């Protein structure tokens, strides 16, 4: 089980089941203007074949390698939406998400409450969402988990939760916010889009003395916005967020890291206090572009992420993706895409860790009907990571390097209900 | 026999515009008498969902892929699959519902005439006085 909002219990299933059972009678108490509760959603099942190999080096000398091959059927994702129009201006929306064969009894998979918001719609120029929501950032962030909309089985790197072990996916894009105003302003043949949101800084740090499990005890906010322009089928925008990071708070409590800092920089971290890397400012800057012309579509995004605390800590992450697709017929869509991440952590001007991911991929989707989408995808990727560590004796720093290569083939069926 | 060729030419000339002229129609409660192309696109892509008086826009679509639907979609610059994709995105984001897809132009006219705030499209030759015309598409 992973994720801060896991609801991993049989209680969740029971509640959902009861909600489904009570749905048909919900309009017994409906007021004028209310519509019945709507329940809908989708799921995606996959078959994946994956091969992976890794070579490891220390200070440039080969150490060992391994390779691995996997075949797997998976219920990759199921999303269940509950939507209620309270009146023409107000809509409530809840999104439960289940990942990877979720089972509470076997302690595997993941179930989470992804969205629970109420929206006030004044008009197309002003909408206000209140509650747990997926904030607008670039093109994909809001719809990254809507599998029927995406031709991909593995999504572009930072949007693929399965890569969480390799990539700090939560860092690249804002994962959740709690207030968002958005809309668009028509200006002749242009539409000017805007979205502005507020949430928590991303660290759930339950303080022992507070002891309220599951609440975010950070006292700083995430602030973000996207400004965009649409002209016909050309759509582009700039996104930005600002928040504070506590993830490396207390990093120098680790004796190896203290020794490493001393060995590599000659600087003693000193009497590092727990607050040394508390509330370090971090920013994201994103740019998105998409265009559609007679069945040909182009989509591209960049994300730049930075955490900086004077000269002591500097984390820089960047992501690029571009996809070119073509609708061969109303049913068949083919695409090629390229994804890349660069990740670098500097401590006292030392390159403490780096990670570079490159994946070219191709695939196609076939729309059987409005509700069933078949997908196939092939990807071949390289991951190279380095990390400086102190040797066993604690007297020298050594550069550990690993290179991974993998090939991935998957088929999937995405069903909307 | 001498009249046959001119008659055929005349029929073709008349039939041409009859098939290709599409009228964008609305319920008589709609507080507009005309519509710009960009407004029509914003309505059919689900970006505009209220008329000027605040009443909800009810978008209607045609199921059959006939010349009327083809001409209308061509005018707004979208393919059928592109429109489905746009509406699916609205639906799955909790932002809107796909338009009701109707079986024929006759059903479209009746549905628009009887649904306050409704907008649809039919070939101009099918127009009846119980709906208002907001735009005529000449293709």
């Amino acid at each position: 089980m992973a994720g801060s909002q896991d609801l991993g219990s049989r209680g969740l299933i029971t509640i959902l089941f009861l909600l489904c059972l009570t749905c048909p009678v919900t309009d017994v108490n409906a007021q004028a203007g209310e519509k019945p509760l709507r329940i809908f959603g989708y799921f995606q099942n996959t078959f994946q074949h994956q091969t992976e190999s890794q070579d490891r080096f220390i200070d440039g000398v080969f150490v060992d390698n391994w390779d691995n091959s996997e075949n797997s059927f998976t219920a990759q994702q199921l999303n269940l939406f509950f939507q209620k129009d309270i009146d023409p201006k107000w809509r409530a929306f809840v999104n439960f998400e289940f990942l990877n064969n979720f089972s509470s009894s076997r302690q595997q998979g993941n179930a989470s409450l992804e969205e629970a918001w109420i929206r006030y719609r004044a008009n197309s120029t002003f909408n206000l969402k209140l509650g747990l929501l997926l904030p607008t950032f670039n093109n994909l962030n809001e719809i990254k988990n809507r599998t029927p909309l995406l031709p991909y089985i593995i999504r572009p790197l930072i949007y693929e939760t399965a890569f969480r072990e390799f990539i700090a996916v939560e860092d690249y894009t804002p994962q959740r916010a709690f207030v968002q105003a958005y809309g668009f302003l028509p200006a002749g043949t242009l539409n000017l889009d805007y979205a502005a949101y507020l949430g928590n800084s991303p660290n759930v740090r339950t303080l022992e003395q507070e002891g309220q499990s599951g609440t975010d005890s950070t006292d700083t906010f995430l602030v973000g916005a996207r400004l965009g322009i649409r002209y016909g089928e050309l759509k582009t925008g700039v996104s930005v967020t600002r928040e504070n990071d506590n993830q490396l708070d207390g990093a120098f409590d680790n004796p190896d890291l203290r020794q490493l800092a001393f060995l590599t920089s000659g600087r003693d971290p000193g009497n590092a206090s727990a607050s040394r890397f508390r509330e370090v400012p971090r920013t994201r800057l994103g740019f998105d572009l998409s265009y559609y012309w007679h069945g040909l579509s182009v989509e591209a995004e960049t994300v730049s992420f930075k955490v900086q605390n004077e000269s002591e800590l500097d984390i820089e992450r960047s992501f690029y993706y571009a996809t070119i697709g073509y609708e061969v017929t109303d049913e068949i869509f083919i695409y090629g895409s390229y994804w890349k991440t660069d990740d670098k952590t500097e401590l006292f001007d030392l390159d403490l860790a780096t990670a570079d991911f490159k994946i070219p991929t191709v695939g196609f989707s076939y729309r059987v009907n409005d509700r069933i989408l078949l997908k196939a995808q092939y990807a071949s990727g390289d991951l190279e990571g380095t990390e400086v560590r102190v040797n066993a004796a604690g007297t020298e720093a050594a550069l550990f390097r690993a290179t991974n290569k993998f090939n991935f083939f998957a088929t999937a069926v995405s069903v909307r209900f | 026999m001498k009249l046959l060729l001119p008659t055929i030419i005349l029929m073709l000339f008349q039939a041409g515009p009859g098939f290709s002229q599409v009228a964008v129609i609305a319920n008589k409660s709609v507080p507009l008498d005309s519509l710009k192309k960009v407004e029509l696109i914003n309505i059919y892509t689900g970006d505009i969902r209220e008329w000027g008086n605040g009443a909800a826009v009810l978008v209607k679509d045609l199921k059959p892929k006939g010349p009327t639907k083809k001409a209308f979609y061509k005018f707004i610059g979208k393919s059928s699959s592109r429109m489905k994709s746009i509406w699916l995105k609205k639906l799955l984001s909790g932002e809107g519902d796909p338009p009701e897809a109707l079986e024929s132009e006759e059903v479209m006219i009746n549905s628009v005439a009887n649904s306050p705030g409704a907008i649809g499209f039919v070939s101009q030759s099918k127009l009846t006085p119980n709906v208002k015309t907001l735009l005529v598409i000449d293709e």
Side-chain angles (χ1 to χ4, degrees):
Chain A
M1 297 284 288
S4 59
Q5 294 184 329
D6 292 346
L7 300 174
S9 72
R10 288 174 185 163
L12 172 68
I13 306 297
T14 310
I15 290 166
L16 290 175
F17 181 67
L18 288 173
L19 271 170
C20 293
L21 281 181
T22 55
C23 166
V25 296
T26 47
D27 55 353
V28 166
N29 299 316
Q31 298 169 8
E34 265 192 52
K35 289 185 179 173
L37 176 66
R38 283 185 66 192
I39 300 178
F40 59 109
Y42 54 87
F43 59 82
Q44 180 163 295
N45 286 309
T46 64
F47 170 76
Q48 303 178 9
H49 170 73
Q50 183 177 330
T51 59
E52 186 178 4
S53 64
Q54 185 186 68
D55 294 332
R56 297 197 305 163
F57 305 84
I58 299 178
D59 285 335
V61 179
F62 175 78
V63 178
D64 59 12
N65 68 343
W66 56 263
D67 53 59
N68 187 32
S69 174
E70 291 172 11
N71 292 300
S72 174
F73 287 102
T74 309
Q76 187 183 13
Q77 185 171 328
L78 183 150
N79 284 65
L80 204 49
F81 298 151
F82 296 83
Q83 179 179 299
K84 174 82 173 173
D85 288 338
I86 296 164
D87 72 22
K89 296 283 185 190
W90 294 91
R91 169 173 286 182
F93 187 86
V94 174
N95 171 11
F96 290 101
E97 185 169 282
F98 303 84
L99 296 177
N100 296 334
N101 298 350
F102 170 72
S103 163
S104 58
S105 64
R106 292 176 189 169
Q107 296 287 297
Q108 67 184 25
N110 175 280
S112 62
L113 177 63
E114 285 292 296
E115 292 168 85
W117 47 257
I118 189 156
R119 186 200 64 206
Y120 172 74
R121 179 177 173 86
N123 48 47
S124 56
T125 304
F126 182 75
N127 297 265
L128 184 67
K129 273 186 188 173
L130 300 169
L132 178 63
L133 59 94
L134 299 171
T136 304
F137 187 89
N138 280 357
N139 228 351
L140 267 186
N141 197 46
E142 269 181 298
I143 57 164
K144 62 191 170 193
N145 293 332
R146 272 39 174 188
T147 55
L149 290 176
L150 305 175
Y152 316 109
I153 300 170
I154 327 179
R155 290 156 287 194
L157 289 171
I158 63 168
Y159 296 109
E160 180 51 68
T161 49
F163 290 150
R164 197 174 270 164
E165 290 175 22
F166 314 108
I167 299 171
V169 291
E170 283 90 355
D171 285 352
Y172 279 94
T173 58
Q175 300 297 304
R176 52 187 61 87
F178 285 84
V179 183
Q180 176 166 295
Y182 63 102
F184 77 93
L185 302 160
T189 54
L190 290 177
N191 286 331
L192 308 175
D193 295 316
Y194 78 91
Y197 46 89
L198 192 64
N200 289 322
S201 283
N203 322 295
V204 175
R205 296 180 67 248
T206 304
L207 301 174
E208 286 179 14
Q209 65 271 28
E210 304 272 329
Q212 191 176 351
S213 172
T215 60
D216 193 327
S217 56
T218 52
D219 59 355
T220 57
F221 288 119
L222 155 77
V223 181
R226 178 181 180 276
L227 292 175
I229 294 175
R230 278 179 291 147
Y231 175 72
E233 289 283 8
L234 176 68
K235 180 182 169 190
T236 184
V238 176
S239 304
V240 63
T241 68
R242 167 91 180 189
E243 60 195 346
N244 291 331
D245 191 344
N246 286 333
Q247 291 180 85
L248 287 172
D249 188 15
F252 283 135
D253 293 345
N254 179 336
D256 281 351
L257 201 55
R258 287 172 64 92
Q259 180 66 4
L260 184 63
F262 180 72
L263 285 172
T264 55
S265 68
R267 292 166 64 183
D268 189 342
N271 184 21
S273 70
S275 61
R276 187 166 197 129
F277 294 130
R278 182 166 290 178
E279 297 185 1
V280 181
R282 62 188 228 174
T283 53
R284 298 181 185 93
L285 182 64
F287 172 74
D288 63 86
L289 173 74
S290 60
Y291 184 61
Y292 176 90
W293 183 74
H294 292 288
L296 182 72
S297 61
V298 177
E299 283 190 10
E301 279 191 20
T302 68
V303 179
S304 171
F305 169 88
K306 193 170 180 66
V307 176
Q308 194 164 25
N309 182 34
E310 297 174 352
S311 61
E312 295 187 337
L313 174 69
D314 189 358
I315 302 173
E316 287 183 28
R317 297 189 171 127
S318 54
F319 166 69
Y320 316 88
Y321 98 82
T323 299
I324 297 177
Y326 184 66
E327 287 172 5
V328 181
T329 65
D330 276 354
E331 293 79 26
I332 297 173
F333 180 77
I334 57 173
Y335 66 90
S337 190
Y338 185 75
W339 313 333
K340 185 176 190 312
T341 61
D342 292 321
D343 190 325
K344 187 175 77 172
T345 301
E346 263 185 31
L347 192 67
F348 286 162
D349 301 324
L350 161 76
D351 285 342
L352 187 67
T354 63
D356 299 328
F357 225 134
K358 294 170 197 160
I359 298 187
T361 182
V362 292
F364 78 93
S365 62
Y366 174 71
R367 193 169 292 282
V368 178
N369 54 41
D370 285 350
R371 293 185 179 270
I372 301 173
L373 184 67
L374 304 178
K375 304 178 185 181
Q377 184 176 2
Y378 172 75
S380 175
D382 292 295
L383 168 64
E384 179 166 336
T386 65
E387 189 178 348
V388 179
R389 297 182 200 161
V390 180
N391 67 359
T395 53
E396 286 180 19
L399 178 68
F400 285 70
R401 184 167 68 90
T403 57
N404 294 54
K405 289 186 185 301
F406 70 88
N407 291 291
F408 174 95
F409 174 74
T411 57
V413 57
S414 180
V415 179
R416 191 165 60 83
F417 55 88
Chain B
M1 194 65 185
K2 281 181 181 175
L3 288 175
L4 184 60
L5 188 60
T7 306
I8 290 172
I9 291 171
L10 186 62
M11 283 174 68
L12 285 173
F13 194 73
Q14 286 178 331
F19 272 106
S20 63
Q21 278 198 321
V22 174
V24 176
I25 57 171
N27 183 273
K28 290 201 166 175
S29 67
V30 169
L32 286 176
D33 293 320
S34 64
L35 203 59
K36 291 177 187 165
K37 181 178 179 179
V38 65
E39 292 169 330
L40 180 67
I41 293 171
N42 281 336
I43 286 172
Y44 265 83
T45 53
D47 288 328
I48 291 180
R49 280 173 268 165
E50 298 86 16
W51 297 110
N53 60 2
V57 176
L58 276 180
V59 179
K60 309 280 183 180
D61 194 11
L62 272 179
K63 260 186 195 169
K65 290 181 180 175
T68 305
K69 182 168 178 171
K70 197 174 171 186
F72 177 78
Y73 273 46
K74 187 180 174 191
F75 179 70
I76 62 173
K78 316 281 182 195
S79 67
S80 175
S81 58
R82 177 67 177 158
M83 283 301 285
K84 279 181 185 169
S85 164
I86 289 169
W87 278 103
L88 188 57
K89 184 177 175 183
K90 296 281 181 193
L91 175 74
L92 297 181
S93 308
E95 291 295 338
D97 301 316
E100 186 184 5
L102 303 166
E103 294 293 343
S104 68
E105 296 185 46
E106 289 74 17
V107 176
M108 170 78 86
I109 288 185
N110 284 333
S111 180
V112 170
N114 295 318
S115 311
I119 182 170
F121 56 91
V122 292
S123 59
Q124 202 174 20
S125 58
K126 299 265 173 61
L127 273 177
T128 60
N130 53 351
V131 291
K132 64 163 76 174
T133 302
L134 298 181
L135 182 67
V136 175
I137 300 167
D138 275 313
E139 288 294 321

